[in-house]
Amino acid sequence: MCGIVGYVGEKNANEVLIAGLKKLEYRGYDSCGVVTLSDKHFDITKSTSRIDSLEENLKDAPKSKIGLGHTRWATHGGATENNAHPHVSSNKKFVVVHNGIIENYAKLREMLKKKGYKFYSDTDTEVVPNLIDLYYKGDLLKAVKDATDALEGSFALGIMDVNEPDTIVGTKRNSPLVVGVGDKECFLASDFSAILKYTDKISVMENDEFTVLKNGGISFYNNELKPCGKDFKIMDTKDEDTEKNGYEHFMLKEMNENTLTVKNTVEAYLKDDEIEFDLKLTKEDFEKVRQIHIVACGTAMHAGLNGKNIIERLTRIPVNVEVASEFRYKDPIIHEDDLVIFISQSGETADTVACIELVKERKIKFLSLVNVRESTIDRISENVIYTKAGPEIAVASTKAYIAQICLIDLFAIYLAKLLKTADKKLIKELMHEMKTMHVKVQEVLDNSEKCKEYAKEIAGASDVFYLGRGVDYYVALEGSLKLKEISYIHSEATQFGELKHGPIALIEEDTPAIAICTSKRLMSKVVSNIKEIKARGAKVLFITNHKNLHDEIYDEIIEVPVTDELLAPILTVVPLQLIAYYVTVEKGLDVDKPRNLAKSVTVE
Ligand code: AGP
C-alpha cells in the first residue's frame, strides 16, 4: 500500500528519496511523488507511472538536503497526478505525505471550506496540511499535534513547513512509521527497507508519538508533547537481502529460497528431538485450551487452514480458522481459556492487527506467527514465533507461506508432544521428516521444467480449477489464489466432493483442472472424481506423491516426493507456485507487482 520516505541530511535529497521509493515499490502503488525544499519554496514532482519515470522527471530538479517521497495506492480519488502525494495547504505553507485513511475527512473538509480553504484533489489527505495551517500559531509541532487530535482513522504522516528548511515532523496512528539515523542525517519511512541502504539503526514510532528530524538530529515527543527517549535497534536485515541478486523476478528468487526457508525455520526450533519456542504460555495454559482460533488474511489464512488440519489430527483440539476482516466484526465467540493464533508475513495487515487488539481487550491468550521483526504485530504480541523466510518482496507470497506451514506444523507437533495427545512413534517420525524436508523441497524445485511446460498450455485459459480433498483442498486454495493474483486468470478451488453440487456445470471441453492428492485413504475417491471431470472434457494435471498410477486418469502428472500426509502441503504447494509464476511470465505480465494489489495491506 502507500509508502513514505523522508530525508534530512547532507546528501541530495532526491537521490535518497528515489532510492527509498524504489525499495517501497513492492508494497504496491499507482502513483508517486516527492517534495524538496529550497529557497523557501517547495518543489513537488509527481507521476502516475513507475518510480523510474518520476526519477526521469527529477533529472533537472534543484538540489535540496531535505524532502519527502510517497507511493500512493489509491483509496479516495483515482490514480491521477492531482491526487498523488505530497499534498500542500491552500497557502502552500505546509506539505504532507500520508499513509492510511482519514475517516472523518468529509466533515473536516466542509469545516475548512467554510473557513476559506480551497481544495484541489479528491483525497482524504488534503485536509491534513490545511488543518495544520488552521492550528499553526508559530509552533509546527503543536500545530501537527492539534491537527492529528482532530483526525479519525489511521495515518502515518511526514510534514514539512516552507519556513523551516531543515525540519520534518512525523507522527502515526495505526499505520507504521519508523525513524532511522545515520551520520549527520536522519530518515523517516513507513517500512525500514526503504532506508536500509543508508542506515540499519532504526526506532519504531508508537501511536500518537511525534518525531522531529532536524539538522541530522532526532527528537521524540509523547502525546502531551513532552520529550521522550526512544531506543534505536540495529536491524539484522541487510539491504542486499531485499535485492533480486541476479534473478529475473523477486518471486522466482523467493521460490528458490523455499529450500533454505524450510531448513532455517525447522532448524530454529527443532533441535535433537525437542521442539522449543520462547513463549510465556505455560503447559497449564495449553492444557486449558478448549478451542484454537486461527486468524489471518489471504495466503496466511491458507497456512492457518493447514494448521487446522494438523493441529486437529494431532491434538483433537478443534480449530476454527477465520479471515481477519470477518472475525473483527462478528463479535467472535471465544472462551476465556481458548488460544488465538495470528499469522502474518508483514506483521502489518490492518485487519489482523485489529483482531489482535480485540483479543487483547478480552484478555484472551494469543500467539502470533510473524515474518517481519519490529513490525506492528511483532511489537503488540507478547508471544511471537518467527517464520524464518527473510524479506519477501514479491506481492505473491511463496517462501513466507512455506515458512508459515512449516512453523504451524512444528507448533502442532510441539503441542501434541506437550499434551501427550499423539502416538510417540508418529511424533518421532514427523520430527524426522521435518528435519529432512528441505531436501525434498529442493527435489520439487529441481523439477520446475515440467511446471514451465504446463504453464504454456494453460496461459491462454480463462478459468482454471484447483481440486482436492482435506488438506489437499487447502493447498488448492493457495494454488488458485496464486494464479489469480498474478496472472489474472480466473480460478476456483473446490473440494472434490462438492463438484457435483454445482461447480461441475462449468467443466467443458479442455477446461484445465489441477487435481491434488496426497492421501492414501482418499485416493480411490479422487480417482473417481477425476474420471467424472475427464468424462466432461476437463484436461487434468495431477499433482501427487502416489507412484505407478494408471495414466488414463490424468493428462499430465507432477510427482512430488513421498512424505507424511500431514506434512505434504510443504511439497505440493511448490509446483502450484511455479505454475502461477510461469503462466504470468508467459503472459508477459508484471510478476512481482500485480495490478491493484499491495504487499502489506495496511488499511482495511
Ligand atoms: C499473498 O500472495 C497475498 N498477496 C496476500 O493474500 C497476503 O497473504 C495477505 O495480504 C496477508 O498478508 P500478511 O501475511 O502480511 O498478513
Side-chain angles (χ1 to χ4, degrees), residues 521-539:
R521 214 162 32 96
L522 298 171
M523 187 60 177
S524 60
K525 301 268 170 228
V526 167
V527 168
S528 309
N529 293 138
I530 293 180
K531 284 185 175 163
E532 283 159 7
I533 54 167
K534 272 184 72 63
R536 284 155 182 87
K539 275 191 103 174

Side-chain angles (χ1 to χ4, degrees), residues 297-300 343-347 349 352 395-397 404 478 481-482 485 598-601:
C297 300
T299 285
I343 308 178
S344 176
Q345 186 286 127
S346 64
T349 303
T352 312
V395 164
S397 182
Q404 287 161 351
E478 176 57 11
L481 175 68
K482 219 82 305 172
E485 71 178 324
K599 181 66 181 167
S600 55
V601 183

Side-chain angles (χ1 to χ4, degrees), residues 160-351:
M160 281 161 58
D161 175 342
V162 79
N163 293 319
E164 297 205 28
D166 52 5
T167 307
I168 291 178
V169 174
T171 184
K172 63 144 272 180
R173 189 184 299 153
N174 300 331
S175 187
L177 192 67
V178 302
V179 172
V181 63
D183 185 18
K184 295 195 197 110
E185 57 185 359
C186 36
F187 307 81
L188 190 70
S190 49
D191 175 334
F192 66 79
S193 64
I195 53 178
L196 269 181
K197 182 174 174 189
Y198 302 100
T199 183
D200 55 2
K201 206 169 165 194
I202 274 146
S203 186
V204 183
M205 299 283 296
E206 300 295 342
N207 282 347
D208 297 306
E209 282 182 343
F210 299 85
T211 182
V212 178
L213 281 56
K214 197 178 173 83
N215 279 336
I218 299 177
S219 36
F220 295 102
Y221 301 86
N222 66 15
N223 195 29
E224 276 86 51
L225 296 188
K226 299 248 160 54
C228 60
K230 275 182 80 70
D231 290 342
F232 277 83
K233 291 201 172 131
I234 305 294
M235 303 307 292
D236 55 9
T237 307
K238 300 279 162 270
D239 190 44
E240 312 79 87
D241 301 341
T242 62
E243 296 289 329
K244 277 189 208 149
N245 298 337
Y247 283 94
E248 203 180 336
H249 300 106
F250 280 110
M251 187 179 172
L252 185 61
K253 175 190 172 218
E254 288 158 10
M255 288 186 299
N256 277 290
E257 287 169 350
N258 280 339
T259 309
L260 190 64
T261 296
V262 171
K263 189 169 185 288
N264 287 348
T265 304
V266 173
E267 285 179 358
Y269 305 107
L270 173 54
K271 291 177 184 118
D272 302 322
D273 274 342
E274 288 304 325
I275 297 173
E276 273 176 35
F277 298 118
D278 185 12
L279 297 176
K280 293 195 177 68
L281 296 164
T282 61
K283 187 175 181 223
E284 291 67 42
D285 286 328
F286 287 120
E287 276 168 348
K288 283 190 211 151
V289 173
R290 296 182 357 180
Q291 189 174 22
I292 293 175
H293 307 261
I294 302 183
V295 180
C297 300
T299 285
M301 190 275 290
H302 293 160
L305 288 168
N306 178 73
K308 171 183 170 68
N309 181 60
I310 188 163
I311 295 171
E312 287 184 344
R313 292 278 282 277
L314 293 183
T315 68
R316 305 307 292 163
I317 299 172
V319 180
N320 163 43
V321 181
E322 294 262 8
V323 170
S325 55
E326 294 293 318
F327 188 83
R328 66 183 288 192
Y329 292 118
K330 64 178 272 196
D331 189 11
I333 302 167
I334 321 171
H335 185 266
E336 58 181 6
D337 287 327
D338 286 356
L339 171 71
V340 186
I341 300 177
F342 296 97
I343 308 178
S344 176
Q345 186 286 127
S346 64
E348 300 293 354
T349 303
D351 284 317

Side-chain angles (χ1 to χ4, degrees), residues 32 56 62 90 370 505:
C32 48
E56 191 61 33
S90 291
V370 179

